[in-house]
Amino acid sequence: MVGPAVRLLAALAPVALLVAAPPLLGCGASSADAGVCAGAGVCGARHCVAGRCRPAGALPAPVEARRVLLPPADLAVLQEDGDAAAGVPDAIALGRAATGDVVLLLRFTPTFGVDADIASAFVVLEPVPLAPPAERAVALEVARILEPWRSETATWGRQPRLSIPELAAVARRVPTAPLRIDVTSLVRGWASRRADDHGIAIVAPGRDAVGAAYAMGGAQGNGPLLEVYVR
């Protein structure tokens, strides 16, 4: 019989079992301020698990937590130098300099109560198989969306206001497993019923010649998902 700890590790195994990688700004990136990491050997005595430096043996969610997966109720991909009428592409190279900065707007309809005890939450992005590797690790930021928006009308020039973005994840040069972007504090904030809370934005500054390719849905694989662990 498989116990709850084994099931939780299986769900997180693609991110927890990361291999060693070159230091920042290479693949094994880490930010001492946020505890954000993208590989083994960058967290000192701690370990890189689900994109964060954590104590040895620690899990990003309690073993008894219930795992909830939510597709976005609405999704918009805004590119600084992209086609304003392109809609949502099958895939996007986050951090690609030729595309400029990219902002993913995500709105979710939670199936758990607003007063639920949230242990942790992640936006999960699926890498595009056999995509060209980025030149270096790509830093990703998260922010709250502060104004109403709809994918049908959102463009780079007509995007909603965001809170100040914060570093939340580092995409590896050659992503071989889903990327988990920690959005725990934002999802916990849903319980406060703030009037200016209209979803989650993922911000990718365009600074790499190639960028890290992730599926947005359609032919290239599954689109973004919200993975929430509820006690």
Side-chain angles (χ1 to χ4, degrees):
M1 181 175 180
V2 179
V6 175
R7 288 195 295 270
L8 180 59
L9 282 170
L12 294 165
V15 207
L17 303 178
L18 294 171
V19 297
L24 191 64
L25 285 172
C27 192
S30 177
S31 166
D33 293 338
V36 176
C37 57
V42 297
C43 293
R46 298 189 293 172
H47 296 278
C48 186
V49 180
R52 297 285 175 145
C53 292
R54 306 177 194 272
L59 293 173
V63 295
E64 70 276 10
R66 176 170 58 96
R67 182 177 183 237
V68 178
L69 284 177
L70 298 174
D74 203 0
L75 163 65
V77 179
L78 310 183
Q79 304 179 54
E80 184 178 14
D81 298 322
D83 184 352
V88 178
D90 285 346
I92 186 72
L94 299 177
R96 185 168 178 258
T99 309
D101 294 353
V102 172
V103 177
L104 305 182
L105 302 179
L106 300 159
R107 182 167 57 247
F108 298 95
T109 302
T111 57
F112 45 85
V114 294
D115 296 325
D117 186 1
I118 306 299
S120 56
F122 307 91
V123 171
V124 183
L125 301 181
E126 181 178 311
V128 175
L130 304 178
E135 288 191 345
R136 61 180 64 192
V138 176
L140 302 177
E141 302 169 330
V142 299
R144 284 194 309 117
I145 304 174
L146 303 178
E147 294 177 330
W149 61 277
R150 292 187 302 127
S151 56
E152 294 87 351
T153 56
T155 65
W156 183 262
R158 297 180 58 189
Q159 57 180 290
R161 288 187 304 111
L162 307 179
S163 66
I164 298 175
E166 298 181 354
L167 178 66
V170 180
R172 304 180 66 192
R173 288 187 58 249
V174 187
T176 57
L179 173 68
R180 282 175 170 83
I181 304 171
D182 196 315
V183 293
T184 304
S185 62
L186 300 185
V187 176
R188 284 176 177 166
W190 292 351
S192 64
R193 303 175 187 267
R194 298 181 62 159
D196 63 350
D197 202 334
H198 297 278
I200 296 171
I202 308 296
V203 182
R207 299 171 183 168
D208 189 81
V210 181
Y214 288 92
M216 293 294 107
Q220 294 292 341
N222 296 323
L225 293 172
L226 181 65
E227 179 183 62
V228 184
Y229 289 89
V230 183
R231 294 186 182 91

Coordinates of all heavy atoms in Angstrom, one line a residue, residues 38-130:
A38 N 17.3 26.6 -8.8 CA 17.0 25.8 -10.0 C 17.9 24.6 -10.2 O 18.0 24.1 -11.3 CB 17.1 26.7 -11.2
G39 N 18.5 24.1 -9.1 CA 19.3 22.9 -9.2 C 20.0 22.6 -8.0 O 20.0 23.3 -7.0
A40 N 20.7 21.4 -8.0 CA 21.4 20.9 -6.8 C 22.7 21.7 -6.6 O 23.2 22.2 -7.6 CB 21.6 19.4 -6.9
G41 N 23.2 21.7 -5.4 CA 24.5 22.3 -5.1 C 24.5 23.8 -4.9 O 25.6 24.4 -4.9
V42 N 23.3 24.4 -4.9 CA 23.3 25.9 -4.7 C 22.7 26.4 -3.4 O 22.6 27.5 -3.2 CB 22.6 26.5 -5.9 CG1 23.3 26.2 -7.2 CG2 21.1 26.0 -6.0
C43 N 22.3 25.4 -2.6 CA 21.5 25.8 -1.4 C 22.3 25.5 -0.1 O 21.8 25.5 1.0 CB 20.2 25.0 -1.3 SG 19.0 25.6 -2.6
G44 N 23.7 25.3 -0.2 CA 24.5 25.0 1.0 C 24.0 23.7 1.6 O 23.9 22.6 1.0
A45 N 23.7 23.7 2.9 CA 23.3 22.5 3.6 C 21.9 22.2 3.4 O 21.4 21.1 3.8 CB 23.5 22.8 5.1
R46 N 21.1 23.0 2.7 CA 19.8 22.7 2.4 C 19.6 22.1 1.0 O 20.6 21.9 0.3 CB 18.9 24.0 2.5 CG 18.9 24.6 3.9 CD 18.0 25.7 4.0 NE 18.3 26.9 3.2 CZ 17.6 28.0 3.1 NH1 16.4 28.0 3.6 NH2 18.0 29.0 2.4
H47 N 18.4 21.8 0.5 CA 18.2 21.2 -0.8 C 17.2 22.0 -1.6 O 16.3 22.7 -1.0 CB 17.7 19.8 -0.6 CG 18.6 18.8 0.1 ND1 19.6 18.2 -0.5 CD2 18.7 18.5 1.4 CE1 20.3 17.4 0.4 NE2 19.7 17.6 1.5
C48 N 17.4 22.0 -2.9 CA 16.5 22.7 -3.8 C 15.3 21.8 -4.1 O 15.4 20.8 -4.8 CB 17.2 23.0 -5.1 SG 16.2 24.1 -6.2
V49 N 14.1 22.1 -3.5 CA 12.9 21.3 -3.7 C 11.8 22.2 -4.1 O 11.5 23.2 -3.5 CB 12.5 20.6 -2.4 CG1 11.2 19.8 -2.6 CG2 13.6 19.7 -1.9
A50 N 11.2 21.9 -5.3 CA 10.1 22.7 -5.8 C 10.5 24.2 -6.0 O 9.7 25.1 -5.7 CB 8.8 22.5 -5.0
G51 N 11.7 24.4 -6.4 CA 12.2 25.7 -6.7 C 12.6 26.6 -5.6 O 12.9 27.8 -5.7
R52 N 12.7 26.0 -4.3 CA 13.1 26.8 -3.1 C 14.1 26.0 -2.3 O 14.1 24.8 -2.3 CB 11.9 27.0 -2.2 CG 10.8 27.9 -2.9 CD 11.2 29.4 -2.9 NE 10.2 30.2 -3.6 CZ 9.9 31.4 -3.3 NH1 10.5 32.0 -2.3 NH2 9.0 32.1 -4.0
C53 N 15.0 26.7 -1.7 CA 16.0 26.1 -0.8 C 15.3 25.7 0.5 O 14.7 26.6 1.1 CB 17.2 27.0 -0.5 SG 18.2 27.3 -2.0
R54 N 15.3 24.4 0.8 CA 14.5 24.0 2.0 C 15.5 23.1 2.8 O 16.4 22.5 2.3 CB 13.3 23.2 1.6 CG 12.4 23.9 0.6 CD 11.2 23.1 0.2 NE 10.5 23.7 -1.0 CZ 9.5 24.5 -0.9 NH1 9.1 24.9 0.3 NH2 8.9 25.0 -1.9
P55 N 15.2 23.0 4.1 CA 16.0 22.1 5.0 C 16.0 20.7 4.5 O 15.0 20.2 3.8 CB 15.3 22.2 6.4 CG 14.5 23.5 6.3 CD 14.1 23.7 4.9
A56 N 17.0 20.0 4.8 CA 17.1 18.6 4.4 C 15.9 17.8 4.9 O 15.6 17.9 6.1 CB 18.4 18.0 4.9
G57 N 15.3 17.0 4.0 CA 14.2 16.2 4.4 C 12.8 16.9 4.4 O 11.8 16.3 4.6
A58 N 12.8 18.3 4.2 CA 11.6 19.0 4.2 C 10.8 18.8 2.9 O 11.4 18.7 1.8 CB 11.9 20.5 4.4
L59 N 9.5 18.8 3.0 CA 8.6 18.7 1.8 C 8.0 20.1 1.6 O 7.7 20.8 2.6 CB 7.6 17.7 2.0 CG 8.1 16.2 2.0 CD1 6.9 15.3 2.3 CD2 8.7 15.8 0.7
P60 N 7.6 20.5 0.4 CA 7.0 21.8 0.2 C 5.5 21.8 0.6 O 4.9 22.8 0.6 CB 7.1 22.0 -1.3 CG 7.2 20.6 -1.9 CD 8.0 19.8 -0.8
A61 N 5.0 20.6 1.0 CA 3.6 20.6 1.6 C 3.5 19.4 2.5 O 4.2 18.4 2.3 CB 2.6 20.4 0.4
P62 N 2.7 19.4 3.5 CA 2.5 18.3 4.4 C 2.0 17.1 3.7 O 1.2 17.2 2.7 CB 1.5 18.8 5.4 CG 1.5 20.3 5.3 CD 1.8 20.6 3.9
V63 N 2.4 15.9 4.2 CA 2.0 14.7 3.5 C 0.5 14.5 3.5 O -0.1 13.8 2.7 CB 2.7 13.4 4.1 CG1 4.2 13.5 3.8 CG2 2.4 13.3 5.6
E64 N -0.2 15.1 4.5 CA -1.6 14.8 4.6 C -2.4 15.9 3.8 O -3.7 15.8 3.7 CB -2.1 14.9 6.1 CG -2.0 16.3 6.7 CD -0.7 16.7 7.2 OE1 0.3 15.9 6.9 OE2 -0.5 17.7 7.9
A65 N -1.8 16.8 3.1 CA -2.4 17.8 2.4 C -3.1 17.3 1.1 O -2.6 16.3 0.5 CB -1.5 18.9 2.0
R66 N -4.2 17.8 0.8 CA -5.0 17.4 -0.4 C -4.5 18.2 -1.6 O -4.4 19.5 -1.6 CB -6.5 17.7 -0.2 CG -7.4 17.4 -1.4 CD -8.8 17.4 -1.0 NE -9.2 18.7 -0.4 CZ -9.8 19.6 -1.1 NH1 -10.1 19.5 -2.4 NH2 -10.2 20.8 -0.5
R67 N -4.2 17.6 -2.7 CA -3.6 18.2 -3.9 C -4.8 18.6 -4.9 O -5.6 17.7 -5.2 CB -2.6 17.3 -4.6 CG -2.0 17.9 -5.9 CD -1.0 16.9 -6.4 NE -0.2 17.4 -7.6 CZ -0.2 16.8 -8.7 NH1 -0.9 15.7 -8.9 NH2 0.5 17.3 -9.7
V68 N -4.9 19.9 -5.2 CA -5.9 20.4 -6.1 C -5.2 21.0 -7.3 O -4.3 21.8 -7.2 CB -6.8 21.4 -5.4 CG1 -7.8 22.0 -6.4 CG2 -7.4 20.9 -4.2
L69 N -5.7 20.5 -8.5 CA -5.1 21.1 -9.8 C -6.2 21.9 -10.5 O -7.3 21.4 -10.7 CB -4.6 20.0 -10.7 CG -3.3 19.3 -10.4 CD1 -3.0 18.2 -11.3 CD2 -2.2 20.3 -10.4
L70 N -5.9 23.1 -10.9 CA -6.9 24.0 -11.5 C -6.3 24.5 -12.8 O -5.3 25.1 -12.8 CB -7.2 25.2 -10.6 CG -7.9 24.9 -9.2 CD1 -8.0 26.1 -8.4 CD2 -9.2 24.2 -9.4
P71 N -7.1 24.4 -13.9 CA -6.7 25.1 -15.1 C -7.1 26.5 -15.0 O -8.0 26.9 -14.2 CB -7.5 24.3 -16.2 CG -8.7 23.9 -15.5 CD -8.3 23.5 -14.1
P72 N -6.5 27.4 -15.8 CA -6.9 28.8 -15.7 C -8.3 29.1 -16.3 O -8.7 28.5 -17.3 CB -5.8 29.6 -16.5 CG -5.3 28.5 -17.4 CD -5.4 27.2 -16.7
A73 N -9.1 29.9 -15.6 CA -10.4 30.3 -16.1 C -10.2 31.2 -17.3 O -11.0 31.4 -18.2 CB -11.2 30.9 -15.0
D74 N -9.1 32.0 -17.3 CA -8.7 32.8 -18.4 C -7.2 33.0 -18.4 O -6.5 32.9 -17.4 CB -9.4 34.2 -18.2 CG -9.5 34.9 -19.6 OD1 -9.1 34.4 -20.6 OD2 -10.0 36.1 -19.6
L75 N -6.6 33.1 -19.6 CA -5.2 33.2 -19.8 C -4.9 34.1 -20.9 O -5.5 34.1 -22.0 CB -4.7 31.7 -20.1 CG -3.3 31.7 -20.8 CD1 -2.2 32.1 -19.8 CD2 -3.0 30.2 -21.2
A76 N -3.9 35.0 -20.7 CA -3.5 35.9 -21.8 C -1.9 35.9 -21.8 O -1.3 35.9 -20.7 CB -4.0 37.3 -21.6
V77 N -1.4 35.9 -23.0 CA 0.1 36.0 -23.1 C 0.4 37.3 -23.8 O 0.1 37.5 -24.9 CB 0.6 34.8 -24.0 CG1 2.1 34.9 -24.2 CG2 0.3 33.5 -23.4
L78 N 1.0 38.2 -23.0 CA 1.4 39.5 -23.5 C 2.9 39.6 -23.8 O 3.7 39.4 -22.9 CB 0.9 40.6 -22.5 CG -0.5 40.5 -22.0 CD1 -0.8 41.7 -21.0 CD2 -1.5 40.5 -23.1
Q79 N 3.2 40.0 -25.0 CA 4.6 40.1 -25.4 C 4.9 41.5 -25.8 O 4.2 42.2 -26.6 CB 4.9 39.2 -26.6 CG 4.6 37.7 -26.4 CD 4.8 36.9 -27.6 OE1 5.9 36.8 -28.1 NE2 3.8 36.1 -28.0
E80 N 6.0 42.0 -25.3 CA 6.4 43.4 -25.5 C 6.6 43.7 -27.0 O 6.2 44.7 -27.5 CB 7.7 43.7 -24.8 CG 8.2 45.1 -24.9 CD 9.4 45.4 -24.1 OE1 10.1 44.4 -23.7 OE2 9.7 46.6 -23.8
D81 N 7.2 42.8 -27.7 CA 7.4 42.9 -29.1 C 6.6 41.9 -30.0 O 7.0 41.6 -31.1 CB 8.9 42.8 -29.5 CG 9.7 43.9 -28.8 OD1 9.3 45.0 -28.7 OD2 10.8 43.6 -28.3
G82 N 5.5 41.4 -29.4 CA 4.8 40.4 -30.2 C 3.6 41.0 -30.9 O 3.4 42.2 -30.9
D83 N 2.9 40.1 -31.6 CA 1.7 40.5 -32.3 C 0.5 40.8 -31.4 O 0.1 39.9 -30.6 CB 1.3 39.4 -33.3 CG 0.2 39.8 -34.2 OD1 -0.5 40.8 -34.0 OD2 -0.1 39.0 -35.2
A84 N 0.0 42.0 -31.4 CA -1.1 42.3 -30.5 C -2.3 41.5 -30.6 O -3.1 41.3 -29.8 CB -1.5 43.8 -30.6
A85 N -2.5 40.9 -31.9 CA -3.7 40.1 -32.1 C -3.4 38.6 -32.2 O -4.2 37.8 -32.7 CB -4.3 40.6 -33.4
A86 N -2.3 38.2 -31.7 CA -1.9 36.8 -31.8 C -2.7 35.8 -31.0 O -2.7 34.6 -31.2 CB -0.4 36.7 -31.5
G87 N -3.3 36.3 -29.9 CA -4.0 35.4 -29.0 C -3.0 34.6 -28.2 O -1.8 34.9 -28.0
V88 N -3.4 33.4 -27.7 CA -2.6 32.5 -26.9 C -1.9 31.5 -27.8 O -2.5 30.7 -28.5 CB -3.4 31.8 -25.8 CG1 -2.5 30.8 -25.0 CG2 -4.1 32.7 -24.9
P89 N -0.5 31.6 -27.9 CA 0.2 30.7 -28.7 C 0.3 29.3 -28.1 O 0.0 29.1 -26.9 CB 1.6 31.3 -28.8 CG 1.7 32.0 -27.5 CD 0.4 32.5 -27.2
D90 N 0.6 28.3 -28.9 CA 0.8 26.9 -28.4 C 1.9 26.9 -27.4 O 1.9 26.1 -26.4 CB 1.1 25.9 -29.5 CG -0.1 25.6 -30.3 OD1 -1.3 25.9 -29.9 OD2 0.0 25.0 -31.4
A91 N 3.0 27.7 -27.6 CA 4.1 27.7 -26.7 C 4.7 29.1 -26.7 O 4.5 29.9 -27.6 CB 5.1 26.6 -27.1
I92 N 5.5 29.4 -25.7 CA 6.2 30.7 -25.6 C 7.6 30.5 -25.0 O 7.8 29.7 -24.1 CB 5.4 31.7 -24.7 CG1 6.0 33.1 -24.8 CG2 5.3 31.2 -23.3 CD1 5.9 33.8 -26.1
A93 N 8.6 31.2 -25.6 CA 9.9 31.1 -25.1 C 10.1 32.3 -24.1 O 10.3 33.4 -24.4 CB 11.0 31.3 -26.2
L94 N 10.0 31.9 -22.8 CA 10.1 32.9 -21.7 C 11.5 33.4 -21.6 O 12.5 32.7 -21.6 CB 9.6 32.3 -20.4 CG 8.2 31.8 -20.4 CD1 7.9 31.2 -19.0 CD2 7.2 33.0 -20.7
G95 N 11.7 34.8 -21.6 CA 13.0 35.4 -21.4 C 13.7 35.6 -22.7 O 14.8 36.1 -22.7
R96 N 13.1 35.3 -23.9 CA 13.7 35.5 -25.1 C 13.8 37.0 -25.5 O 12.8 37.7 -25.5 CB 13.0 34.8 -26.2 CG 13.6 34.8 -27.6 CD 12.9 33.8 -28.5 NE 13.4 33.8 -29.9 CZ 12.9 34.5 -30.9 NH1 11.7 35.1 -30.7 NH2 13.4 34.5 -32.1
A97 N 15.1 37.5 -25.7 CA 15.3 38.9 -25.9 C 14.5 39.4 -27.2 O 14.0 40.6 -27.1 CB 16.8 39.2 -26.1
A98 N 14.5 38.7 -28.2 CA 13.8 39.1 -29.5 C 12.3 39.4 -29.3 O 11.7 40.2 -30.0 CB 14.0 38.1 -30.6
T99 N 11.7 38.7 -28.3 CA 10.3 38.9 -28.0 C 10.1 40.0 -27.0 O 9.0 40.5 -26.9 CB 9.7 37.6 -27.5 OG1 10.0 36.5 -28.3 CG2 8.2 37.6 -27.3
G100 N 11.1 40.3 -26.3 CA 11.0 41.3 -25.2 C 10.4 40.7 -24.0 O 10.3 39.5 -23.8
D101 N 10.0 41.5 -23.0 CA 9.4 41.0 -21.8 C 8.1 40.3 -22.1 O 7.4 40.7 -23.1 CB 9.2 42.2 -20.8 CG 10.5 42.8 -20.3 OD1 11.5 42.3 -20.6 OD2 10.4 43.8 -19.6
V102 N 7.8 39.3 -21.3 CA 6.5 38.6 -21.5 C 5.8 38.6 -20.2 O 6.4 38.4 -19.1 CB 6.8 37.1 -21.9 CG1 5.5 36.3 -21.9 CG2 7.4 37.1 -23.3
V103 N 4.5 38.8 -20.2 CA 3.6 38.8 -19.0 C 2.5 37.7 -19.3 O 1.8 37.9 -20.3 CB 3.0 40.1 -18.7 CG1 2.1 40.0 -17.5 CG2 4.1 41.2 -18.4
L104 N 2.4 36.7 -18.4 CA 1.3 35.8 -18.5 C 0.3 36.2 -17.5 O 0.6 36.3 -16.3 CB 1.8 34.4 -18.2 CG 2.9 33.8 -19.0 CD1 3.2 32.3 -18.5 CD2 2.7 33.8 -20.5
L105 N -0.9 36.5 -17.9 CA -2.0 36.8 -17.0 C -2.8 35.5 -16.8 O -3.3 34.9 -17.8 CB -2.9 37.9 -17.6 CG -2.2 39.2 -18.0 CD1 -3.2 40.2 -18.6 CD2 -1.6 39.8 -16.8
L106 N -3.1 35.2 -15.5 CA -3.8 33.9 -15.2 C -4.8 34.3 -14.2 O -4.6 34.9 -13.2 CB -2.8 32.9 -14.6 CG -1.6 32.5 -15.5 CD1 -0.5 31.9 -14.6 CD2 -2.1 31.5 -16.5
R107 N -6.0 33.8 -14.5 CA -7.1 33.9 -13.5 C -7.7 32.5 -13.2 O -8.0 31.7 -14.2 CB -8.2 34.8 -14.0 CG -9.3 35.0 -12.9 CD -10.3 36.2 -13.2 NE -10.9 36.1 -14.5 CZ -10.7 36.9 -15.6 NH1 -9.8 37.9 -15.4 NH2 -11.3 36.7 -16.7
F108 N -7.8 32.2 -12.0 CA -8.3 30.8 -11.6 C -9.6 30.9 -10.8 O -9.8 31.9 -10.0 CB -7.3 30.1 -10.7 CG -6.0 29.9 -11.5 CD1 -4.9 30.8 -11.3 CD2 -5.8 28.8 -12.3 CE1 -3.7 30.6 -12.0 CE2 -4.6 28.5 -13.0 CZ -3.6 29.5 -12.8
T109 N -10.4 29.9 -10.9 CA -11.6 29.8 -10.1 C -11.4 28.7 -9.1 O -11.5 27.5 -9.4 CB -12.9 29.5 -10.9 OG1 -13.0 30.6 -11.9 CG2 -14.1 29.4 -10.1
P110 N -11.1 29.0 -7.8 CA -10.8 28.0 -6.8 C -12.0 27.1 -6.5 O -13.1 27.6 -6.5 CB -10.4 28.8 -5.6 CG -11.0 30.1 -5.8 CD -11.1 30.4 -7.2
T111 N -11.7 25.8 -6.4 CA -12.8 24.9 -6.0 C -12.7 24.6 -4.5 O -13.6 23.9 -4.0 CB -12.6 23.5 -6.7 OG1 -11.2 23.0 -6.4 CG2 -12.7 23.7 -8.2
F112 N -11.8 25.2 -3.8 CA -11.7 25.1 -2.3 C -12.2 26.4 -1.8 O -12.3 27.5 -2.5 CB -10.3 24.9 -1.9 CG -9.3 25.8 -2.6 CD1 -9.0 27.0 -2.1 CD2 -8.6 25.3 -3.7 CE1 -8.1 27.9 -2.8 CE2 -7.6 26.1 -4.3 CZ -7.4 27.4 -3.9
G113 N -12.7 26.4 -0.5 CA -13.2 27.6 0.1 C -12.2 28.7 0.3 O -11.0 28.4 0.4
V114 N -12.6 30.0 0.3 CA -11.7 31.1 0.4 C -11.0 31.0 1.8 O -9.9 31.6 2.0 CB -12.4 32.4 0.3 CG1 -12.9 32.6 -1.2 CG2 -13.5 32.6 1.3
D115 N -11.6 30.3 2.8 CA -11.0 30.2 4.1 C -10.2 28.9 4.3 O -9.8 28.5 5.4 CB -12.1 30.3 5.2 CG -12.8 31.6 5.2 OD1 -12.1 32.6 4.9 OD2 -14.0 31.7 5.4
A116 N -9.9 28.2 3.2 CA -9.2 27.0 3.2 C -7.8 27.2 3.7 O -7.2 28.3 3.5 CB -9.1 26.3 1.8
D117 N -7.2 26.2 4.4 CA -5.9 26.3 5.0 C -4.9 25.9 3.9 O -4.7 24.7 3.6 CB -5.7 25.4 6.2 CG -4.4 25.5 6.9 OD1 -3.6 26.3 6.4 OD2 -4.2 24.8 7.9
I118 N -4.3 26.8 3.2 CA -3.4 26.6 2.1 C -2.0 26.3 2.6 O -1.3 27.2 3.2 CB -3.3 27.8 1.1 CG1 -4.8 28.2 0.7 CG2 -2.4 27.5 -0.1 CD1 -5.5 27.1 -0.1
A119 N -1.5 25.1 2.3 CA -0.1 24.7 2.7 C 0.9 25.3 1.8 O 1.9 25.9 2.2 CB 0.1 23.2 2.8
S120 N 0.6 25.2 0.5 CA 1.5 25.7 -0.6 C 0.8 25.7 -1.9 O -0.2 25.0 -2.1 CB 2.8 24.9 -0.7 OG 2.5 23.5 -0.9
A121 N 1.3 26.5 -2.8 CA 0.6 26.7 -4.1 C 1.7 27.0 -5.2 O 2.6 27.8 -4.9 CB -0.5 27.7 -4.1
F122 N 1.5 26.4 -6.4 CA 2.5 26.6 -7.4 C 1.7 26.8 -8.8 O 0.7 26.1 -9.0 CB 3.4 25.4 -7.6 CG 4.1 25.0 -6.3 CD1 3.5 24.1 -5.5 CD2 5.3 25.6 -5.9 CE1 4.1 23.7 -4.3 CE2 5.9 25.2 -4.7 CZ 5.3 24.3 -3.9
V123 N 2.2 27.7 -9.6 CA 1.8 27.7 -11.0 C 2.8 26.7 -11.7 O 4.0 26.9 -11.6 CB 1.9 29.1 -11.6 CG1 1.7 29.0 -13.2 CG2 0.8 30.0 -11.1
V124 N 2.3 25.7 -12.4 CA 3.1 24.7 -13.0 C 3.1 24.9 -14.5 O 2.0 25.0 -15.2 CB 2.5 23.3 -12.7 CG1 3.4 22.2 -13.3 CG2 2.4 23.1 -11.2
L125 N 4.3 25.0 -15.1 CA 4.5 25.1 -16.5 C 5.2 23.9 -17.1 O 6.2 23.4 -16.5 CB 5.3 26.4 -16.9 CG 4.8 27.7 -16.4 CD1 5.7 28.9 -16.8 CD2 3.4 28.0 -16.9
E126 N 4.7 23.4 -18.2 CA 5.3 22.2 -18.8 C 6.2 22.6 -20.0 O 5.9 23.4 -20.9 CB 4.1 21.4 -19.4 CG 4.6 20.1 -20.1 CD 3.4 19.3 -20.6 OE1 2.5 19.1 -19.8 OE2 3.4 18.8 -21.8
P127 N 7.5 22.1 -19.9 CA 8.5 22.5 -20.9 C 8.1 21.8 -22.3 O 7.5 20.8 -22.3 CB 9.8 21.9 -20.4 CG 9.4 20.8 -19.5 CD 8.1 21.2 -18.9
V128 N 8.5 22.5 -23.3 CA 8.3 22.0 -24.7 C 9.4 21.0 -25.0 O 10.6 21.4 -24.9 CB 8.3 23.1 -25.7 CG1 8.2 22.6 -27.1 CG2 7.2 24.1 -25.4
P129 N 9.1 19.7 -25.3 CA 10.2 18.8 -25.6 C 11.0 19.2 -26.8 O 10.5 19.7 -27.8 CB 9.4 17.5 -25.9 CG 8.0 17.7 -25.3 CD 7.8 19.2 -25.4
L130 N 12.3 18.9 -26.7 CA 13.3 19.1 -27.7 C 13.4 20.6 -28.1 O 14.0 20.9 -29.2 CB 13.0 18.3 -29.0 CG 12.8 16.8 -28.7 CD1 12.4 16.0 -30.0 CD2 14.1 16.2 -28.1

